[in-house]
Amino acid sequence: VCIHRVRSCSSIRFLKSKYVCVFDKSALKFSHRQRLFRTSAVSCGQIVQFKLSDIGEGITEVTVKEWYIKEGDSVSQFDSICEVQSDKASVTITSRYDGIIRKLHYNLDEIAYVGKPLVDIEIDASKGVAPEEDVVETPPMSHEEHTHQEIKGHKTLATPAVRRLAMENNIKLSEVVGTGKDNRILKEDILNYLAKQTGAILPPSPKAEIIPPLPKSEAAPAAPKDKTRKIPVPVSRPIVFSGKDKTEPVTGFHKAMVKTMSAALKIPHFGYCDEIDLTQLVQLREDLKSLAQIRGVKLSFMPFFIKAASLGLLQYPILNASLDESCQNITYKASHNIGVAMDTEQGLIVPNVKNVQVSSVFEIASELNRLQSLGSAGQLGTSDLTGGTFTLSNIGTIGGTYAKPVILPPEVAIGALGKIQVLPRFNGKGEVFKAQIMYVSWSADHRIIDGATMARFSNLWKSYLENPASMLLDLK
């Protein structure tokens, strides 16, 4: 309390929050009758419990995967607080207030519940922040999901990934001019802003959403890391035999897999297999790989497989459809959102490349690079993991040849790709030559798709890959 010496005063007032108390001066008389003291309350911090808001889609609990702050740290509005993972996607939680973190309610890998306190934040009560009961938490945002935020009187549209990049470089989003749709701030806008501040020159980008390629000095060391990931490495941590059974709850993506596969087993599957001669495609990809690398994109075979599948779906739209639960209506999907099964540390996930029917092979490759990077880091958002209409699973990256893929509801077809092998084959003259052979295994919903349709689609897809130049006639 601050005490001020006052010579004369008729009354004393205390102002604090909502309460106003008035006292007569006779209540505070001392030895000297003409000396009175007036006290005034000093504003102190108010502790607000920041609760985990509803993420949507029926999610009631999440796992805390990473804290971006610790107790005692200062945070501002829209700063990232933590990253949580549900059985559907990873979500970044951002701060609602300016203040100081006083308590973290969960440790890493603990289960947090919607509606329960996540952190305690001490805010400055003098700034007129709404009391705790009036607090509305900022809804969590999935990565690459567009969200509006109010900053200093005007709206700023940016993704959580862009906000984090700005925060790491101490950039205020209100000072950056957005070049995206509705003035949305893109990652390139942040990089260009940094370039203007530091005088650096950024290389041109082939597409607005594509990350510019790194300089050669930075890109060179990254290549060996990608190669080493493909080599199987034994478990480095020691194996401990405790002699006791261990029980763990089913959480995260494993929980989603249980639900999805339980529903998938209700679908009557039928399979179809074939082999593909990729000799010409292997040569074409080798010729284009260096060009794609110059443009900052790693080109694999998967973009060609995805684009060929999309061209086939234009001829056989029944394979890009869904069947309702009552089996009364078929919905033909306008967009070709082709999913790619990925094996990650968190389990099996299937992000999808959106609108493949209007995307080039290079654009598909760029989007795959983004999805693979986020998948490896466990940061894929809900928008990346939902809305798929057709799926390809590349089991060949691990070493398999054949597989029996299971359909992902509400889709009606899925393909599993084996590894590419050099095998002897005969040409038209009866001569033996080395061929790059890959096997594909299809599964389809036999309630609405017959074997002939699946075989015709597979043959068309096969023809595009065996003669890549033929895709030029049908590319949109």
Side-chain angles (χ1 to χ4, degrees):
V1 200
C2 294
I3 302 177
H4 303 278
R5 178 177 174 180
V6 183
R7 291 185 178 180
S8 61
C9 183
S10 60
S11 63
I12 302 163
R13 288 180 172 84
F14 289 83
L15 297 178
K16 184 176 181 181
S17 300
K18 304 175 183 177
Y19 306 99
V20 178
C21 300
V22 181
F23 298 90
D24 187 77
K25 67 179 181 179
S26 60
L28 290 175
K29 287 183 179 180
F30 293 91
S31 59
H32 197 296
R33 293 188 177 183
Q34 293 182 351
R35 181 175 296 175
L36 298 176
F37 294 90
R38 183 178 65 186
T39 62
S40 59
V42 173
S43 60
C44 57
Q46 176 185 359
I47 301 297
V48 175
Q49 286 191 331
F50 184 88
K51 298 178 182 179
L52 179 62
S53 58
D54 186 10
I55 297 177
E57 300 195 27
I59 296 173
T60 59
E61 61 182 43
V62 294
T63 303
V64 178
K65 302 303 295 183
E66 184 177 359
W67 286 107
Y68 299 123
I69 44 87
K70 61 182 181 296
E71 293 181 2
D73 284 356
S74 297
V75 295
S76 301
Q77 294 185 51
F78 315 116
D79 283 355
S80 297
I81 292 180
C82 66
E83 181 177 315
V84 299
Q85 185 181 82
S86 68
D87 58 354
K88 299 180 182 297
S90 293
V91 177
T92 298
I93 308 298
T94 57
S95 176
R96 167 71 172 80
Y97 311 102
D98 298 332
I100 301 174
I101 301 297
R102 290 306 182 194
K103 181 179 179 181
L104 307 181
H105 286 269
Y106 301 98
N107 296 320
L108 291 179
D109 296 324
E110 284 188 348
I111 302 298
Y113 297 92
V114 171
K116 299 296 182 180
L118 193 62
V119 296
D120 289 351
I121 303 178
E122 180 181 342
I123 60 177
D124 190 349
S126 64
K127 293 184 178 180
V129 180
E132 182 180 347
E133 62 269 19
D134 296 331
V135 168
V136 179
E137 292 80 12
T138 303
M141 298 173 292
S142 59
H143 290 271
E144 302 303 325
E145 184 178 2
H146 300 171
T147 53
H148 283 88
Q149 302 288 6
E150 189 85 15
I151 298 181
K152 295 183 179 180
H154 69 277
K155 291 182 178 180
T156 300
L157 185 61
T159 65
V162 172
R163 294 184 184 278
R164 184 182 301 179
L165 179 63
M167 179 184 65
E168 291 173 351
N169 291 278
N170 297 320
I171 297 175
K172 295 182 180 180
L173 290 178
S174 57
E175 298 177 355
V176 181
V177 178
T179 59
K181 184 179 179 181
D182 297 328
N183 296 322
R184 180 167 62 92
I185 299 176
L186 308 177
K187 181 175 288 187
E188 280 191 345
D189 298 329
I190 300 294
L191 295 175
N192 289 330
Y193 182 86
L194 279 174
K196 292 178 181 179
Q197 299 296 318
T198 61
I201 299 176
L202 297 177
S205 174
K207 188 182 177 184
E209 294 286 354
I210 296 173
I211 301 173
L214 295 173
K216 293 183 179 179
S217 58
E218 297 181 15
K225 291 183 179 180
D226 292 337
K227 293 181 180 179
T228 54
R229 288 180 183 176
K230 297 180 181 179
I231 302 175
V233 179
V235 178
S236 58
R237 55 180 180 272
I239 300 175
V240 180
F241 295 96
S242 61
K244 297 181 180 179
D245 295 343
K246 183 179 179 181
T247 302
E248 293 181 347
V250 179
T251 59
F253 292 130
H254 290 118
K255 193 171 184 178
M257 190 187 302
V258 170
K259 297 178 182 178
T260 303
M261 292 300 101
S262 297
L265 289 179
K266 300 177 182 178
I267 300 174
H269 287 57
F270 82 89
Y272 178 84
C273 300
D274 201 357
E275 73 170 38
I276 318 294
D277 184 355
L278 299 179
T279 304
Q280 292 187 39
L281 182 61
V282 169
Q283 184 59 50
L284 175 63
R285 182 230 176 200
E286 192 64 29
D287 295 338
L288 298 177
K289 188 166 61 172
S290 59
L291 295 176
Q293 190 173 4
I294 292 174
R295 299 171 70 178
V297 172
K298 181 181 178 183
L299 182 63
S300 63
F301 290 103
M302 185 57 74
F304 296 98
F305 299 154
I306 291 175
K307 188 60 183 179
S310 177
L311 294 176
L313 293 175
L314 292 174
Q315 302 296 324
Y316 300 96
I318 187 66
L319 297 175
N320 196 60
S322 63
L323 184 66
D324 64 4
E325 294 183 0
S326 61
C327 300
Q328 299 297 318
N329 299 291
I330 300 175
T331 302
Y332 294 87
K333 304 292 185 178
S335 298
H336 296 172
N337 300 337
I338 299 182
V340 180
M342 293 183 182
D343 177 41
T344 67
E345 294 181 359
Q346 292 80 27
L348 175 66
I349 56 177
V350 189
N352 58 82
V353 181
K354 299 288 195 297
N355 297 312
V356 176
Q357 78 280 1
V358 292
S359 301
S360 66
V361 172
F362 176 75
E363 291 170 341
I364 297 170
S366 176
E367 179 66 3
L368 276 179
N369 287 180
R370 185 186 71 84
L371 295 175
Q372 288 165 349
S373 298
L374 294 177
S376 300
Q379 297 178 345
L380 284 167
T382 305
S383 60
D384 295 322
L385 295 170
T386 56
T389 60
F390 187 86
T391 298
L392 292 176
S393 176
N394 191 3
I395 195 68
T397 55
I398 301 176
T401 304
Y402 299 97
K404 186 180 179 182
V406 180
I407 299 169
L408 296 175
E411 300 173 19
V412 295
I414 184 174
L417 313 175
K419 63 182 179 182
I420 300 176
Q421 307 174 79
V422 179
L423 299 174
R425 289 295 183 267
F426 291 94
N427 60 20
K429 299 179 181 179
E431 301 169 340
V432 178
F433 70 98
K434 290 193 304 181
Q436 303 278 351
I437 300 298
M438 180 189 74
Y439 295 95
V440 60
S441 304
W442 301 103
S443 290
D445 188 338
H446 216 338
R447 293 175 298 182
I448 59 173
I449 299 173
D450 55 64
T453 301
M454 190 75 251
R456 292 188 180 99
F457 167 82
S458 181
N459 289 337
L460 179 58
W461 180 76
K462 173 181 177 178
S463 67
Y464 285 133
L465 297 177
E466 291 188 339
N467 304 282
S470 64
M471 283 196 289
L472 295 174
L473 298 175
D474 297 321
L475 288 178
K476 302 294 184 182

